[in-house]
């Protein structure tokens, strides 16, 4: 285990029938980094990512998050510990405004309790005011003020991705797992999205773990970059170092690298 790692994946394996999707794989995500995960189709990236995110339980090995063994914990349990995930297809509440979507994120709000609404209304109102203020701050940070009262279902693909990023800011996540953040996003909004990821990392100290097929985006955002093949990590370094590795260039950059 690495001392400065916020995520440690230790000798993790996952089989589907006779297929070893991930085979005794170990890797770490350094606290404060933007770490990329790439490799050819079928390399096991998505399966490993899903095990870290709690969507798949590994057959063997451990996932350590912030010093705690979280192997097999469900996504909602990881959420409470500070690990959040965005998805290739945004999961917004389409009939609520962008602002309301952000305000839904923090858990255990006093207003969720009928007793608080009846007997401690000031507590519920005070908390709602604080959550609304934070949501407005997030919207300002992401420059989404012009759509804050727009139904989330009416937003563009890129705006929905920005909104998902904003949802991670509502709970001060320790790690954000980004799943194909570039999918369905036009170049202008993708540049905005990348710039906000950079700002969150640089100014707010967020750690990101990124699975992505857009190599230009990986090159812009990620250091280090981890390369997987046949269910294992085969290399790690800056994008320049990865691209300069003749074995990797021949095997994985001779054709477009796609998500598993």
């Amino acid at each position: 285990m690495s001392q400065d790692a916020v995520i440690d994946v230790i000798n993790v394996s996952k089989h589907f029938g006779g297929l070893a999707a991930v085979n005794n794989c170990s890797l770490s995500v350094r606290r404060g980094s933007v770490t990329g995960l790439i490799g050819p189709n079928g390399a096991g990236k998505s399966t490993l990512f899903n095990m870290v995110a709690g969507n798949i339980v590994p057959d063997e090995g451990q996932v350590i998050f912030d010093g705690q063994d979280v192997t097999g914990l469900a996504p909602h349990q990881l959420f409470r510990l500070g690990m959040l995930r965005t998805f290739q297809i945004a999961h917004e509440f389409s009939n609520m405004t962008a602002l309301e979507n952000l305000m839904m994120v923090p858990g255990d709000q006093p207003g969720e309790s009928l007793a608080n609404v009846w007997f401690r209304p000031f507590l519920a109102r005070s908390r709602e005011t604080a959550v609304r203020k934070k949501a407005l701050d997030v919207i300002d940070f992401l420059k989404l003020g012009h759509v804050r009262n727009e139904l989330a279902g009416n937003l563009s693909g890129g705006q929905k991705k920005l909104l998902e990023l904003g949802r991670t800011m509502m709970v001060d996540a320790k790690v954000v797992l980004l799943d194909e953040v570039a999918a369905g996003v036009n170049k202008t909004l993708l540049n905005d999205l990348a710039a906000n990821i950079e700002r969150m990392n640089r100014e707010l100290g967020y750690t990101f773990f990124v699975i992505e097929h857009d190599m230009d985006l990986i090159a812009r955002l990620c250091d280090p970059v981890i390369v997987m093949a046949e269910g294992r990590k085969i290399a790690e370094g800056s994008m320049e170092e990865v691209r300069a590795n003749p074995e990797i260039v021949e095997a994985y950059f001779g054709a477009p690298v796609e998500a598993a």
Side-chain angles (χ1 to χ4, degrees), residues 23-79:
N23 186 13
N24 196 33
C25 183
S26 297
L27 57 82
S28 295
V29 176
R30 189 179 71 251
R31 194 182 307 274
S33 71
V34 182
T35 298
L37 183 63
I38 66 172
N41 189 40
K45 305 182 305 299
S46 293
T47 301
L48 185 135
F49 206 73
N50 280 318
M51 287 191 284
V52 172
N55 299 103
I56 296 175
V57 178
D59 297 330
E60 299 172 356
Q62 293 176 289
V63 178
I64 308 296
F65 174 54
D66 204 21
Q68 178 178 343
D69 188 342
V70 297
T71 311
L73 291 190
H76 71 274
Q77 295 171 303
L78 294 172
F79 173 89

Side-chain angles (χ1 to χ4, degrees), residues 95-202:
N95 292 320
M96 300 176 72
T97 67
L99 180 62
E100 290 167 341
N101 265 262
L102 295 182
M103 292 180 66
M104 284 288 292
V105 176
D108 301 322
Q109 297 188 44
E112 295 173 3
S113 165
L114 192 58
N116 284 333
V117 174
W118 283 351
F119 301 114
R120 292 183 290 274
F122 174 77
L123 181 63
R125 285 197 301 269
S126 176
R127 175 62 172 154
E128 182 176 351
T129 298
V131 170
R132 180 182 176 84
K133 182 181 183 305
K134 180 157 189 174
L136 289 170
D137 288 343
V138 169
I139 280 177
D140 286 343
F141 183 92
L142 296 174
K143 297 180 174 60
L144 285 173
H146 59 296
V147 296
R148 76 180 193 184
N149 295 319
E150 182 68 57
L151 293 180
N154 295 337
L155 302 183
S156 70
Q159 289 169 336
K160 289 178 181 180
K161 292 288 181 75
L162 281 170
L163 187 62
E164 277 218 334
L165 201 60
R167 285 160 65 177
T168 72
M169 298 176 67
M170 290 298 297
V171 290
D172 298 322
K174 295 176 184 176
V175 174
V176 178
L177 307 178
L178 296 179
D179 186 356
E180 294 288 354
V181 69
V185 180
N186 67 48
K187 288 185 177 181
T188 300
L189 277 174
L190 183 57
N191 185 64
D192 291 344
L193 193 58
N196 278 296
I197 292 168
E198 289 169 332
R199 288 180 64 207
M200 288 172 67
N201 174 251
R202 181 179 63 251

